[in-house]
Amino acid sequence: MDNRSLVSIDDYTKEEILEVLAKAAEFEKNPNSNILEGKVVSSLFFEPSTRTRLSFETAISRMGGRIVGFTDASSSSTTKGETLNDTIKMVSNYSDLIVMRHPIEGSARYASEVSDVPIINAGDGANQHPTQTMLDLYSIQKTQGTLENLNIFMVGDLKYGRTVHSLLMALSHFNPTFHFIAPKELEIPRGYKIFMDNNNIKYQEHTEFGSIINDADILYMTRVQRERFADPLEYEKVKNVYILKNDMLKDTRDNLRILHPLPRVNEIAMDVDANPKAYYFEQALNGVFARQAIIAKALDL
Ligand code: CP
């Protein structure tokens, strides 16, 4: 594996996470540069995306680089039976860096093992979404002034939500207290509970969603991931399990900020958007700066 790849959030040490966040703050102050002049970045999206793809493309454009790639696997030779191995070997001939989203867990790790250039994982199935985690951490640090000792509430699809999995692992460096609110069918996978137990991370699990959020510093809402369900009837049972409404926020902490990786379906009512505690659209903007910093690190710039 090219050791500059970012496949899983634990490819970064705590020090590297903090270094990338500091770099993101520099990019936020000065987003436009030519540091990618002469570089070509491949953007391979085998799965749909709005924010991740467009914020990467914005980041690359603002840094003076060029982008090649596809936004839909159906327009690539994957449809003719080309393997991921061959696609990555080809594309790594063409470019200096590959950003890839793929529906299969482990695909980014595999790609990093066959690629001659760094791979940035833009989401692999229900597994990991480390660049989302970096923008989530940046958003938390900006709004709370720290990453340490926070009460983090995660709500919704904690089973298939890859952003939850990556964020949980990253925050484990910063002495969090987690509260996981999910129906039994969508609870946090056992492997992450073992990880937290082994690392003395405090956590509680809940199925009720109500005044318990009054203790939260960060409320991380998630969409139920319809595309990961084998049985559509199982999705129907849980799709509207938790909906955050504005009146639920009246006794919450002043410093509370509501994050959501987006897209939302209906887990946050529209009346929350005007509440100053709603931060999800600013969070998405932070993705440009965080991804500029991740690209710069991957290319040693
Ligand atoms: N947060 C996120 O990954 O959004 P997209 O699926 O639109 O990229």
Side-chain angles (χ1 to χ4, degrees), residues 48-53 101 122 129 132 162-163 261-263 291:
S49 168
T50 297
R51 276 145 296 276
T52 309
R53 184 173 67 79
R101 170 170 289 189
H129 195 348
Q132 176 73 41
R162 58 194 175 195
T163 67
L262 304 177
R291 289 178 171 123

Side-chain angles (χ1 to χ4, degrees), residues 195-214:
F195 169 81
M196 289 184 286
D197 290 338
N198 289 344
N199 289 281
N200 296 319
I201 308 292
K202 301 178 284 299
Y203 70 93
Q204 291 180 27
E205 294 184 276
H206 315 269
T207 52
E208 293 303 313
F209 182 43
S211 58
I212 187 171
I213 65 171
N214 292 350

Side-chain angles (χ1 to χ4, degrees), residues 134-259:
M134 291 308 297
L135 78 91
D136 292 342
L137 292 176
Y138 187 61
S139 300
I140 294 170
Q141 192 183 49
K142 256 174 86 173
T143 60
Q144 305 298 314
T146 180
L147 292 171
E148 301 282 351
N149 307 318
L150 296 171
N151 278 346
I152 309 283
F153 284 57
M154 294 176 161
V155 182
D157 186 348
L158 309 186
K159 178 179 179 185
Y160 296 118
R162 58 194 175 195
T163 67
V164 165
H165 303 158
S166 300
L167 184 57
L168 177 162
M169 291 178 72
L171 280 169
S172 68
H173 294 297
F174 302 100
N175 191 34
T177 301
F178 287 118
H179 291 264
F180 299 117
I181 303 176
K184 198 77 192 141
E185 299 91 320
L186 298 178
E187 70 183 16
I188 199 90
R190 192 173 130 72
Y192 292 100
K193 292 185 204 173
I194 293 170
F195 169 81
M196 289 184 286
D197 290 338
N198 289 344
N199 289 281
N200 296 319
I201 308 292
K202 301 178 284 299
Y203 70 93
Q204 291 180 27
E205 294 184 276
H206 315 269
T207 52
E208 293 303 313
F209 182 43
S211 58
I212 187 171
I213 65 171
N214 292 350
D215 289 332
D217 298 310
I218 292 293
L219 183 58
Y220 194 89
M221 298 296 297
T222 65
R223 171 179 71 91
V224 178
Q225 307 267 303
R226 179 173 48 81
E227 64 277 28
R228 314 268 177 234
F229 282 75
D231 180 351
L233 290 177
E234 291 301 312
Y235 170 71
E236 289 300 318
K237 271 195 230 161
V238 290
K239 68 177 184 185
N240 290 325
V241 65
Y242 304 123
I243 299 176
L244 180 66
K245 300 193 172 124
N246 197 41
D247 63 10
M248 293 168 67
L249 297 170
K250 60 182 185 309
D251 295 322
T252 55
R253 292 182 175 179
D254 290 343
N255 65 305
L256 172 72
R257 290 296 176 273
I258 302 152
L259 304 187

